[in-house]
Amino acid sequence: MAGLVVAPQVLAVEEGVKVLRQGGNAVDAAVTAALVQGVIDPQMCGIGGFGVALVCEAKTKQVKCLAFHARAGSKATPDMWADKVIKEAPDGFGFFLKGAVNDVGAQSVGVPGTVAGLCELLKRYGTWSWEQVLQPAIRIAYEGFVVTAELARSWKTRERFPERPSLLQRLQFSPEAHRLFLKPNGAPYEAGEVLRNPDLARTLERLAKHGAEDFYHGAIASVIITELETHGGHITRSDMENYQVRWHEPLRATYRDFEVISAPLPAGGLAVLQTLRILEGFDLQKMGHNSPTYIFTAAQALKAAFTCKVRYHGDPEFVDVPVDELLSEEHNRKWREKIERGEVLTVPRFGINEPHGTTHITVIDDEGNIVALTHTLGSSSGVIPRGTGFMLNNAMVGFYPLPGHPNSIAPGKARVSGMAPTIVFKDGEPFLVLGAPGGARIVSAIVQAMLNVIEFGMSPIEAVSAPRFDAQVHEIECQARIPSWVLEEVQKRGQPCVKLPQSYGGIALVQLAMKQGNEWVGASDPASGGAAFSC
């Protein structure tokens, strides 16, 4: 059996494959590739971020979840932004606050978890040293990389709402970001141009020499804390020193004859599993893929899961979430009955959905070990600690900005996330591995790609390429390739539909691996600019 790497960045996939070819296992390759992703996709992920990973051991078939979520600093309070709320974003992606304090700047930063997470993953399951896995990222940061069309386009994309800073505006936020990622005239790099980051290379060299502990206890930690304290952040030195990753049992549920395993709260796997539990009661094959009846039904099931997300989801270390009830047949039968009656559901508009950033990588080695790793900066805070070359996350934007909600702010708390690395078992063996960047829309994309394979028999590339939709506001938001006459039939049922400007993309970027016979076949969403390479 050949190894496989799937991710939205070709260069990261190549570096992961090189590790497998040199005898490294799936974890060695995944950590190496993730570190490279942080160099070449600097506002989606990096060592200032956070994430979650599923690991499946080939010999035991056991699946474990490593969570390294960002956490609110000890100076944060539930009501600290109560007087700054302007309104909820019309698209459901968070709240607009005065000064965008939850979105950019020092106050938007949560305690980063990526360095601790990747190091722990390597210690538990890897065979390469921490110094070894850092070398490709160091080399690329020094030598530079060719800016991809996707990255260049992201710097030119305007946000739909003026209250939400664009990626380019985040680069313009601080002199450090401006110096590193923009030309002297303030323009972003174009596709095909080479971008170098020697500051980041030197930071990674320090991590290689002094270990991950330096990020939380040493010189790097000092620079981070100085930057945040100078500009009114909520993170203290003790917050950095006391940061810990968490190992969890993943969430499990059945769908038809398959076992679906995904990342637990505060990640997004619960919404994936609940949607599937609702849809299991419908004959989706008979409806037909992306037929009016299918779109209506699947969208209402997604709305039901997102409604429960708004009502109940939070960090389980801080709030009691009725997970078993939300996945129970009794609970989901009630939602199913509403859908069968033709009810048009509406997601309550007081929840927080994270921004569209994030990235993902899936690696399977020749022994069958699997890593599905999703990590992110949110959409990046614009804050670069002086001289370090890396941007810090804006995790705080994902919290509810008022007290009294399951996802409200609290010191040491992690916010709800859409990240949902998922492994599907068939007859006791891994069959599908899925993950995606795309904020809260990850859930919708993962569910549909999975159904494309299980219900409609699609190949991997067909499954990630088929048109999809999202349903977490009242309207169903659809990729432009779904025909207008199909949506007209959906709207006759009282369900509004709108087309996104994108034919591809806009609703997460699914990275999928599927077992076919004795081999794994991968597919990267064609809108992501990524690749699936075997070795």
Side-chain angles (χ1 to χ4, degrees):
M1 180 174 65
L4 176 70
V5 183
V6 189
Q9 305 89 359
V10 174
L11 187 53
V13 174
E14 289 183 348
E15 294 298 333
V17 168
K18 289 177 185 178
V19 172
L20 295 179
R21 288 181 170 178
Q22 294 171 42
N25 68 11
V27 169
D28 302 324
V31 173
T32 301
L35 289 164
V36 170
Q37 287 175 315
V39 177
I40 64 179
D41 215 344
Q43 286 178 276
M44 295 295 101
C45 59
I47 60 175
F50 56 101
V52 63
L54 294 186
V55 181
C56 178
E57 293 184 278
K59 292 181 180 179
T60 65
K61 304 297 187 298
Q62 289 185 343
V63 180
K64 298 294 183 182
C65 178
L66 175 63
F68 46 101
H69 296 285
R71 297 193 170 269
S74 57
K75 295 180 183 178
T77 62
D79 60 352
M80 65 184 184
W81 291 329
D83 61 344
K84 297 185 182 298
V85 177
I86 299 173
K87 62 179 179 179
E88 186 176 5
D91 59 359
F93 282 90
F95 280 76
F96 297 143
L97 271 58
K98 295 175 185 177
V101 292
N102 63 333
D103 199 0
V104 292
Q107 291 188 45
S108 72
V109 179
V111 181
T114 294
V115 172
L118 296 182
C119 185
E120 173 67 15
L121 201 60
L122 194 68
K123 284 181 179 178
R124 178 74 68 96
Y125 292 107
T127 64
W128 281 27
S129 70
W130 178 243
E131 184 177 9
Q132 279 180 293
V133 298
L134 278 159
Q135 295 311 307
I138 293 169
R139 170 176 49 81
I140 293 167
Y142 268 131
E143 295 177 356
F145 64 95
V146 176
V147 173
T148 64
E150 292 76 22
L151 181 57
R153 186 167 56 245
S154 74
W155 286 331
K156 296 178 181 179
T157 300
R158 293 184 178 182
E159 283 290 345
R160 291 171 61 186
F161 307 102
E163 298 91 343
R164 181 182 294 144
S166 68
L167 289 180
L168 179 57
Q169 288 172 320
R170 295 170 196 275
L171 294 184
Q172 296 166 337
F173 178 80
S174 73
E176 283 288 283
H178 194 287
R179 176 177 65 84
L180 287 169
F181 296 114
L182 298 175
K183 298 177 183 179
N185 65 359
Y189 283 74
E190 298 287 345
E193 296 182 327
V194 175
L195 178 58
R196 297 177 177 87
N197 191 342
D199 286 6
L200 177 56
R202 287 187 287 270
T203 297
L204 296 175
E205 283 182 327
R206 183 172 183 88
L207 284 174
K209 181 178 180 180
H210 297 282
E213 294 79 11
D214 194 76
F215 191 89
Y216 297 94
H217 299 269
I220 298 174
S222 296
V223 178
I224 293 172
I225 293 304
T226 298
E227 181 71 30
L228 296 179
E229 287 184 341
T230 300
H231 296 96
H234 308 293
I235 295 171
T236 66
R237 176 171 287 278
S238 65
D239 294 332
M240 293 291 291
E241 291 175 346
N242 294 327
Y243 181 84
Q244 293 183 339
V245 302
R246 274 78 163 166
W247 283 100
H248 298 299
E249 284 299 317
L251 285 180
R252 300 170 183 265
T254 57
Y255 179 80
R256 312 292 190 210
D257 296 327
F258 299 85
E259 182 183 27
V260 185
I261 302 173
S262 196
L265 288 169
L270 179 55
V272 170
L273 298 187
Q274 186 179 1
T275 304
L276 293 171
R277 295 290 291 155
I278 295 169
L279 288 174
E280 190 174 26
F282 295 94
D283 190 342
L284 302 180
Q285 291 183 30
K286 185 177 180 181
M287 294 177 187
H289 180 259
N290 278 1
S291 68
T293 301
Y294 173 81
I295 291 175
F296 179 88
T297 302
Q300 304 314 311
L302 286 165
K303 285 187 186 185
F306 284 126
T307 296
C308 291
K309 175 183 176 181
V310 170
R311 290 176 177 169
Y312 303 111
H313 290 200
D315 184 343
E317 294 182 26
F318 288 77
V319 295
D320 291 327
V321 183
V323 174
D324 291 340
E325 178 184 346
L326 294 178
L327 293 177
S328 69
E329 172 60 20
E330 180 181 4
H331 177 82
N332 291 307
R333 184 176 63 249
K334 295 175 182 177
W335 285 116
R336 204 176 297 130
E337 290 169 351
K338 290 177 181 285
I339 299 170
E340 290 171 341
R341 291 195 296 268
E343 290 189 26
V344 176
L345 306 178
T346 298
V347 180
R349 293 298 304 278
F350 49 84
I352 287 285
N353 293 317
E354 64 186 315
H356 298 270
T358 312
T359 195
H360 178 85
I361 187 162
T362 287
V363 181
I364 303 164
D365 62 27
D366 58 5
E367 293 184 358
N369 298 300
I370 299 169
V371 180
L373 168 64
T374 308
H375 60 123
T376 186
L377 289 177
S379 51
S380 71
S381 65
V383 178
I384 297 179
R386 186 176 298 275
T388 64
F390 67 88
M391 197 169 290
L392 290 166
N393 67 79
N394 67 335
M396 298 299 291
V397 75
F399 280 111
Y400 191 81
L402 299 168
H405 187 273
N407 195 36
S408 294
I409 301 164
K413 188 177 183 180
R415 47 75 155 213
V416 169
S417 165
M419 295 184 289
T422 300
I423 301 176
V424 180
F425 277 66
K426 179 182 180 182
D427 299 326
E429 297 287 335
F431 169 64
L432 275 180
V433 185
L434 305 92
R441 287 178 170 170
I442 291 171
V443 171
S444 302
I446 291 293
V447 166
Q448 288 170 78
M450 193 182 309
L451 294 175
N452 289 346
V453 172
I454 293 174
E455 296 286 358
F456 303 108
M458 293 187 190
S459 67
I461 190 61
E462 290 171 330
V464 302
S465 303
R468 50 184 176 259
F469 50 88
D470 185 47
Q472 50 191 311
V473 293
H474 186 56
E475 299 85 5
I476 302 175
E477 296 180 301
C478 307
Q479 288 179 334
R481 290 177 295 144
I482 298 181
S484 56
W485 53 85
V486 172
L487 301 184
E488 288 169 2
E489 292 298 316
V490 178
Q491 293 183 117
K492 288 178 182 179
R493 301 180 180 218
Q495 171 61 66
C497 300
V498 295
K499 282 197 177 191
L500 297 172
Q502 299 98 326
S503 287
Y504 289 84
I507 303 177
L509 300 168
V510 179
Q511 314 297 308
L512 180 148
M514 175 181 173
K515 189 75 171 291
Q516 293 183 329
N518 292 322
E519 298 296 328
W520 284 93
V521 178
S524 179
D525 190 307
S528 72
F533 290 161
S534 299
C535 62

